[in-house]
Each structure stands twice: as structure tokens, then as C-alpha cells.
Amino acid sequence: MSKKIASARISQKSSRLLQELNNSLPFDKILYREDIEGSIAHSYMLSQQGIISSDDYTKIESGLLEILGEIESGEFLLDGDDEDIHMAIEGRLTDKIGDAGKRLHTARSRNDQVALDFRLFVQKNTKTIAELILQNIETLMERAKESVGVMLPGMTHLQHAQPINFGYHLMAYASMLKRDYERFVSSYDRNDYSPIGCAALAGTPHPISRVITSDKLGFKSPTLNCLDTVSDRDFALEMLFNISTMMMHISRLSEELILWSSSEFGWVTLSDRHATGSSIMPQKKNPDIPELLRGKTGRVNGNLIALLTVMKGLPLAYNKDMQEDKEGVFDSVKTATLSLQILDEMISDMTINDEKMQRACMIGHLSATDLADYLVREAGMPFRDAYHITGNVVNLAEQNSVDISELSLAELQSIDERIGDGVIELLDNRASMNARDSEGGTATKRTIEQIEKMQDWMNEVRS
Ligand code: ARG
């Protein structure tokens, strides 16, 4: 039935292979809610403008709502040979209500219809993902609050560098997720315009009102230019880019969780709910979840590059290539949603092994910079000279197999007599951490300030 809708010019039955290549119903059926919502808004506008009768509108609306119920109950399976979700629903509607159903597509093309459905999907999921990001930020803040006094070696080049606290480290990730959140919100605002009513590419001679449909669907206003609107997939690309960037952050955190939960580190223990075993090695507890989050980042990046590549050479306006826009977005949205949900659980449930982190601070002479800074400050030495003297002190500590913070004053002075007794306290790792009290620094009090500022932001966003 529905096949006939779009085949006035085609005299032969489609080849099976054409259908297999061409039909998007197997994957775009997940847009059924958006398609029905869009068609109700469009037919409402048609009736308001006197283009169809209000009687036809009533039939269309109740027919579409009935179809919605049938899809959700599994009575209408969306597994026929219709080309896409739009054809499947319109066909079903016409089967149900006859001529009124055939009037639904007045002043509309599948080109603006698909642009609308897809945009509604992207906008809805942008909100869902943004909310999940907020939840993750809150969880990171909770864990940060309890660990502002937990010291660990901060690293550069994956080598011990300076002592920081674990709350500070977690707040770094909370800050990344805050930017991710803001990116989703700004994309939402930029794309909050209604595509419907653009028809095939040039608008329509029917006296439509795009404002009515836009208002009914909750958009800010209709888009400006119809040719652009049916050609545009930027909104989908933004979603893919936003997901990729966010997943890149999640992937870096995952990488750290994998390292930290290894026997070499032992800094965190993932809950047994979030670990898996080995089929042959009975002793194993593997961090599959962070590994998969890291791995899935490759997959969402692929989806972004795929759509950028599909779009880059297309002449205006709609080309069937653009049907390739959906699967990657559906996949990335599903991946991002699940990843955020599981990350939140995993961070909430993991055990932070403060003692192991603290012990690791005795490796790598973390407070060496403090000695150099001391010599600059107290002995008026040029930083480069202070740097070399400190290097010699580190060598001595290495020879004695101790950390720089364990050297006695006499030992320190054997390298340079300008090292005074105040230095001993400075070389203590906790003192070293708390000395970094510049704005945004790792000192416990500065970390607490960062959590408070983030909380203020959160309160504002939530209000
Ligand atoms: N299934 C198509 C898509 O996903 C819908 C738009 C088809 N438009 C057309 N003129 N063939 O892009």
C-alpha cells in the first residue's frame, strides 16, 4: 500500500536489492514518536490555515495516536517493506482513515519531514545526555569532597611530579564535564529552530504558517532559509562532536581508572559490580567497564568522521547520501547514554585507597621543586642555580635510597650550606601540596574552594 505513495513515476516493482539498499525503515523506525508528533503538528497547522478541514485534522490526529499505541503495544511491527518510517506511518494512516490520511502530506516533503524528525530526536537526546552529565559532575564532587585530604603523586609524562590531592584530580574531570555540558546546551540553543514547512527545497505555494508548527512543537521559531534547512545536518554533527569530546574525557578518566586499579598502583578498587573475571585465570578481576568506555570512544569518533565525510561533497539540497546520517547518531547517542550511566555508578561505588596513594608520594622526590623555590626565596638565588643544587640533593637522596623529604638537615647542608633549617618542613609532601595555594591550585583549601564554586554553578543550572 504505502509503496504506491511514492511511486507515481515508477512502473516496475522495485528490485529486492534496491529495497535492501534504499530502505531506511529497519533503522529509522526508532523515530516513530517524532514522526507522529511532527505529523500532528503539521496537520494542525494545515487545519488552522484552512488548507484541510478541521474534520480531517481530527481524523488524522486520532488515527496517528492510534498508530502510536499500536507501535508501542507491538501490534504494528514496522517490519514491512515500506521505504522509511514516514511512508510506513502515512500508509498505515491512510489504510485506517482513507482520504483524510492522503491529505496529511500537503505542503510537506519527506525532506523537511526527516529534517524535523531527526532534529527532534537530537534535541530530545541532547537534554537527556546533558542531564546525565550533571549527575556525573555531582558524583565527582561528592567523591572529591571526601578526598581533599587524600594525597597522591600528580604526574606529567606518567612520572611522579608533585603531590596533589585526589579531590583536586577528580575536580579536573568535573571541570571537563562542565564544559561538555555547556557544549550540549549551546548546541541545543543553536538548533532550536523548526525545519517543517520547508517542503522539498523551495517552500510551498500553500498558505502555511511555519510559526504555528514551530510553536506547537516547542521550537524557538522556524528556520530562516528552506534550502539550507533541508540540506543541513550540522545539528547532528554537533551532537556527534559533543559526544566525541565528552567520550574523550571519559576515556582519559577510564585510562586512569585502569592504571589505578592495577596491582602496580592499587590506588582505587572498582566494586565487584563493575568488574569481570577471566574464563581461565580464577584470580583475575578485570576493569572491563573502563576498558569498554575507552574502546567505545573510538567508535563514536568513527561516527563523527563518517558523517563529516558523507556531507562534505553534497550539492544542495537533499541527496539520498543523507540517509546515512542516522545510524551513527543513534549509535553514538546510545553509547553516550549508557557510558554516562555506568560511569556514574562506577565512580560512586569505587573504593579510594588513600594509604596506597599516600605511600606512592614517597617515590619520586615530589617536593624537589619546593627546595628550589626555597633557595630562590630565602637565599636570593637565581632559579637555574637553585634548580642545579636541588638536582644534586636529589642525587644524594637517590644514593641513600630515600625520598628527598627524608634527608636530614646535615645531609641537605652537605650539598649547599645556604639550605637553612626551615626547609625540613617545606619538604614534607603535605606541606608541599598545601603550598600550591594559588587560585585553582591543589592546596586542600583551594580544592574546597573549587568544589564550592562548582556547587554554585550547579545550583544555578539546577534552579
Ligand atoms: N528516508 C529518508 C532519509 O532518511 C527520508 C527522506 C527521503 N527523501 C527523499 N526525497 N527521498 O533521509
Side-chain angles (χ1 to χ4, degrees), residues 24 28 83-84 86 110-111 114 318 320 322-323 326:
S24 53
D28 69 15
E83 200 178 311
D84 52 32
H86 325 295
R110 271 185 300 159
N111 298 350
V114 73
Y318 180 83
K320 199 60 177 260
M322 289 159 71
Q323 182 166 282
K326 286 174 213 59

Side-chain angles (χ1 to χ4, degrees), residues 119 183 185-193 220 238:
R119 190 177 298 224
R183 218 172 276 119
V185 169
S186 88
S187 292
Y188 186 95
D189 290 342
R190 191 167 23 264
N191 295 315
D192 192 16
Y193 297 95
K220 222 182 296 178
E238 281 193 38

Side-chain angles (χ1 to χ4, degrees), residues 89-108:
I89 290 178
E90 191 187 326
R92 182 78 158 197
L93 182 69
T94 304
D95 287 348
K96 275 185 187 298
I97 65 170
D99 276 358
K102 293 193 213 155
R103 293 188 210 283
L104 168 62
H105 211 55
T106 314
R108 181 175 82 170

Side-chain angles (χ1 to χ4, degrees), residues 129-170:
I129 291 174
E131 174 55 35
L132 285 170
I133 295 176
L134 289 184
Q135 274 175 36
N136 272 274
I137 296 174
E138 280 171 335
T139 301
L140 286 167
M141 282 196 300
E142 276 312 307
R143 301 304 321 250
K145 266 184 222 161
E146 45 173 291
S147 45
V148 290
V150 176
M151 269 197 327
L152 75 158
M155 310 233 190
T156 65
H157 311 268
L158 201 60
Q159 305 288 327
H160 289 204
Q162 290 177 343
I164 60 175
N165 74 75
F166 195 60
Y168 179 68
H169 202 115
L170 292 179

Side-chain angles (χ1 to χ4, degrees), residues 143-292:
R143 301 304 321 250
K145 266 184 222 161
E146 45 173 291
S147 45
V148 290
V150 176
M151 269 197 327
L152 75 158
M155 310 233 190
T156 65
H157 311 268
L158 201 60
Q159 305 288 327
H160 289 204
Q162 290 177 343
I164 60 175
N165 74 75
F166 195 60
Y168 179 68
H169 202 115
L170 292 179
M171 285 309 288
Y173 283 107
S175 305
M176 296 174 220
L177 287 180
K178 172 177 179 280
R179 289 194 299 280
D180 292 331
Y181 171 84
E182 289 167 341
R183 218 172 276 119
F184 278 100
V185 169
S186 88
S187 292
Y188 186 95
D189 290 342
R190 191 167 23 264
N191 295 315
D192 192 16
Y193 297 95
S194 171
I196 194 72
C198 283
L201 74 162
T204 168
H206 292 285
I208 61 166
S209 162
R210 292 187 60 210
V211 172
I212 293 181
T213 36
S214 171
D215 286 351
K216 193 153 170 76
L217 292 165
F219 287 105
K220 222 182 296 178
S221 73
T223 56
L224 181 71
N225 174 287
C226 291
L227 184 59
D228 168 48
T229 303
V230 289
S231 311
D232 165 37
R233 292 295 181 271
D234 304 6
F235 62 95
L237 284 166
E238 281 193 38
M239 169 63 115
L240 290 173
F241 174 78
N242 294 344
I243 288 177
S244 278
T245 305
M246 178 195 80
M247 287 297 293
M248 176 272 291
H249 291 146
I250 292 180
S251 182
R252 295 184 74 173
L253 174 53
S254 298
E255 166 64 14
E256 298 208 297
L257 291 173
I258 294 162
L259 281 174
W260 294 341
S261 59
S262 69
S263 322
E264 282 70 20
F265 283 76
W267 294 357
V268 300
T269 309
L270 297 180
S271 123
D272 279 359
R273 286 212 299 155
H274 300 126
T276 53
S278 153
S279 59
I280 179 170
M281 297 170 281
Q283 84 285 11
K284 287 299 291 284
K285 177 172 169 183
N286 293 328
D288 291 32
I289 291 177
E291 286 171 334
L292 279 166

